[in-house]
Amino acid sequence: MDNQQAIEWSSKVLMNFTTRYPIALVRGEGVKVWDSDGKEYLDFTSGISVVSLGHSHPKVVGTIREQAATLVHVSNYFHIPQQIELAKLLTEHSFADRVYFGNSGAEAIEAAIKLARRYAGENWSSDRYEIITMRGGFHGRTLGALSATAQEKYQQGFGPMLRGFKYVPYNNLPAVERAIDSRTAAVLVEPIQGEGGIYVPDHDYLAGLRKLCDAAGTLLILDEVQTGMGRTGALWAYQHWGVEPDLMTVAKALANGFPISAVLAKEKVAAAFTPASHGTTFGGNPLATAVGCATLGTMLEMKLPEQAARMGSYLKDALERLKTNTSLVKEVRGKGLLIGVECRGPVANLITRCREAGLLLLTAGENVARFAPPLIVDEPTIDRAVGLFEAALASAAT
Ligand SMILES: Cc1ncc(COP(=O)(O)O)c(C=O)c1O
C-alpha cells in the first residue's frame, strides 16, 4: 500500500477522529523512519514522546520476540513474574511503594482518580471527592480523564463531563490555595504541561503545591505520562524540583511503544484498592511488562535521562540561536528533550514544510512546534534537524 492508497483507504474505512499527515510510515530504525513510498525522515515526534530508545531497538525487538513465543497473556487472576519485576524496577527508582498497570495514559489517569476518591472517601469523608486540575492541561480522552482536562476544545460535544473537577490556572499557587476546601480529594497536575504548549512552571510551583496539599491533607497526583521515563532530562520530572507526589501516572515511553501504563503510589494511598475494587483484562500482561522491563532497564543502563538532559540543552541552544535570524520564533521553552518553539502564528504550514524536507515534528497547541526526538538522538542528528527546521522557517517567512 503506497502513501496515496493509504490516504484513500483511511478515508473509507477508518473513523475520521483525527487529522493525519498524508504519509504512511512503514519502517523505523533509531531516529529514522521511512514512508511507504520509500522516503526517509528524521522522527522528532517519537510517536508522541513514546519511542525513547529509538525505533526497532534490538533489546526491545528481542524481548518482544522471546516473550511472544513464551507467554503473551494470562490475566490478573494469576501472579505475573514480569509484572513483579517491572513494579520492582519502578519502585526502586521512584518515590512509590506500589504499582498498578494499565494499557494507556488515560486508563492510568482513570485509575488514579478512582484511587484518590476511594482513599479520600475512606480516610476523610464520603463527600470529599473533588479533584483540582489546571487549565491548559491534558490528561486523556476517556470521560474521567476528559473531565480532568480543562480545555474546552477537547470536551466540546461530549458533555456532560463528570462532576467533581475544579479548574484553576496553571502555575498559579494562590488560585490553588483558594480552590482547595474540605471537598478536595486531590490536586492533579502535569509537572510540565505537554499537549497544552510545553509550559515549564516557576521553580517553586511544585514545592508550593506539595505544601498546599500537605496543609489541607490532600493528595498530590503528578501526571508524568509524557514527562516521565527520562524525557525531561531526569527519570521523572518531579526530580528536577525535589518534590514527591502521592500518586503518579506513567505511560507513553514505558515500553517503547508497546501499549502499557502504570499508576505509582505510596503505600498508604495504594491501600485504598482492595481485591475486586478495580480491574483490567490486559493491564500488566507478561508481554507488555517484559517489554517494560527491557525498556526501563536499558534506559537506566545507558543513563538515558542524563543523555536527554545534555542533548536537550544542545537542541534548545541551537533553536534559541534561530531567534536571531527570524522574527517568526517567539519563544523556545521546555526541559530535556521536550521542547516547544512558539511561533508568531499557527505552525501547521511550517510543520508541513519540515515534513516535506524530511523532518517530522508535532504541534503542542496551535502556535507551538514540538521537538521530542528519541532520547538516543546525537549531536549530528540534532544539527541536521535544526538545519531543516531553519530552512523551513526561512521558506515560511517568504
Ligand atoms: C500528560 C498526559 N496525560 C495523559 C495522556 C493520555 O494518554 P493516552 O493517549 O495514552 O491515553 C497524555 C497523552 O498525550 C498526556 O500527554
Side-chain angles (χ1 to χ4, degrees):
M1 197 180 284
D2 64 21
N3 284 334
Q4 194 49 41
Q5 288 165 329
I7 294 165
E8 282 164 20
W9 274 109
S10 281
S11 71
K12 282 188 193 136
V13 295
L14 296 178
M15 290 202 197
N16 195 17
F17 68 95
T18 190
T19 310
R20 292 177 200 268
Y21 298 146
I23 52 174
L25 298 176
V26 292
R27 187 163 70 85
E29 198 183 313
V31 184
K32 290 180 185 165
V33 287
W34 287 265
D35 72 17
S36 55
D37 294 345
K39 184 174 157 100
E40 180 182 301
Y41 303 86
L42 291 181
D43 181 7
F44 271 49
T45 75
S46 304
I48 327 184
S49 307
V50 167
V51 193
S52 287
L53 296 179
H55 294 279
S56 305
H57 189 281
K59 188 81 205 237
V60 173
V61 173
T63 304
I64 291 175
R65 283 214 174 103
E66 205 175 298
Q67 190 58 46
T70 309
L71 187 67
V72 170
H73 178 82
V74 289
S75 91
N76 285 299
Y77 281 112
F78 302 93
H79 294 281
I80 299 172
Q82 295 82 358
Q83 193 181 108
I84 295 165
E85 289 304 328
L86 184 54
K88 275 165 67 182
L89 259 184
L90 285 166
T91 52
E92 276 161 21
H93 292 278
S94 74
F95 73 96
D97 303 305
R98 288 180 187 264
V99 185
Y100 167 85
F101 289 107
N103 306 284
S104 67
E107 222 181 294
I109 291 288
E110 296 289 339
I113 292 169
K114 284 180 71 177
L115 187 56
R117 281 188 170 185
R118 202 167 152 106
Y119 175 83
E122 279 175 3
N123 289 278
W124 301 320
S125 73
S126 59
D127 66 351
R128 193 161 177 175
Y129 56 79
E130 269 185 6
I131 308 225
I132 295 172
T133 68
M134 310 303 154
R135 292 198 184 280
F138 185 83
H139 301 291
R141 307 284 194 152
T142 53
L143 269 172
L146 193 61
S147 305
T149 296
Q151 294 199 63
E152 169 66 21
K153 69 174 179 188
Y154 295 114
Q155 295 181 347
Q156 184 138 34
F158 298 114
M161 293 294 112
L162 287 191
R163 279 194 305 131
F165 291 88
K166 218 185 230 179
Y167 308 144
V168 299
Y170 188 60
N171 199 22
N172 184 328
L173 289 170
V176 177
E177 190 169 12
R178 282 193 299 276
I180 288 184
D181 61 23
S182 59
R183 286 174 180 264
T184 312
V187 172
L188 165 63
V189 62
E190 293 162 89
I192 295 171
Q193 280 192 338
E195 300 301 307
I198 322 287
Y199 289 104
V200 182
D202 293 342
H203 194 73
D204 63 352
Y205 182 59
L206 278 198
L209 285 181
R210 179 73 271 177
K211 238 178 164 175
L212 289 174
C213 288
D214 288 345
T218 275
L219 300 176
L220 177 62
I221 310 174
L222 291 185
D223 182 351
E224 293 236 23
V225 163
Q226 181 151 212
T227 54
M229 296 293 292
R231 171 61 51 194
T232 69
L235 185 58
W236 314 114
Y238 72 74
Q239 292 168 328
H240 292 298
W241 295 284
V243 172
E244 291 192 345
D246 302 294
L247 278 170
M248 177 169 81
T249 53
V250 180
K252 290 196 184 281
L254 182 51
N256 210 52
F258 200 92
I260 189 172
S261 65
V263 179
L264 277 64
K266 296 243 206 224
E267 182 70 46
K268 62 165 190 179
V269 189
F273 272 171
T274 49
S277 56
H278 192 57
T280 166
T281 298
F282 296 120
N285 82 14
L287 181 52
T289 45
V291 184
C293 287
T295 303
L296 181 51
T298 306
M299 233 177 219
L300 294 168
E301 224 174 87
M302 292 174 70
K303 298 196 185 326
L304 266 194
E306 291 88 332
Q307 193 174 320
R310 281 195 305 278
M311 289 303 116
S313 298
Y314 185 80
L315 173 57
K316 203 168 164 204
D317 288 349
L319 292 169
E320 284 279 2
R321 281 196 292 275
L322 299 184
K323 276 203 315 201
T324 51
N325 297 339
T326 173
S327 58
L328 282 183
V329 174
K330 193 170 160 198
E331 192 184 13
V332 179
R333 53 180 184 250
K335 237 179 177 7
L337 284 168
L338 185 59
I339 298 177
V341 178
E342 182 170 353
C343 293
R344 293 178 210 282
V347 292
N349 188 24
L350 178 65
I351 281 176
T352 299
R353 284 169 196 255
C354 286
R355 189 180 64 249
E356 286 166 358
L359 172 66
L360 299 182
L361 294 176
L362 295 174
T363 55
E366 219 190 351
N367 296 353
V368 179
R370 173 173 17 175
F371 286 72
L375 306 187
I376 54 156
V377 74
D378 57 15
E379 290 176 1
T381 311
I382 290 175
D383 291 341
R384 267 188 63 202
V386 173
L388 292 171
F389 186 65
E390 186 174 15
L393 274 173
S395 73
T398 55

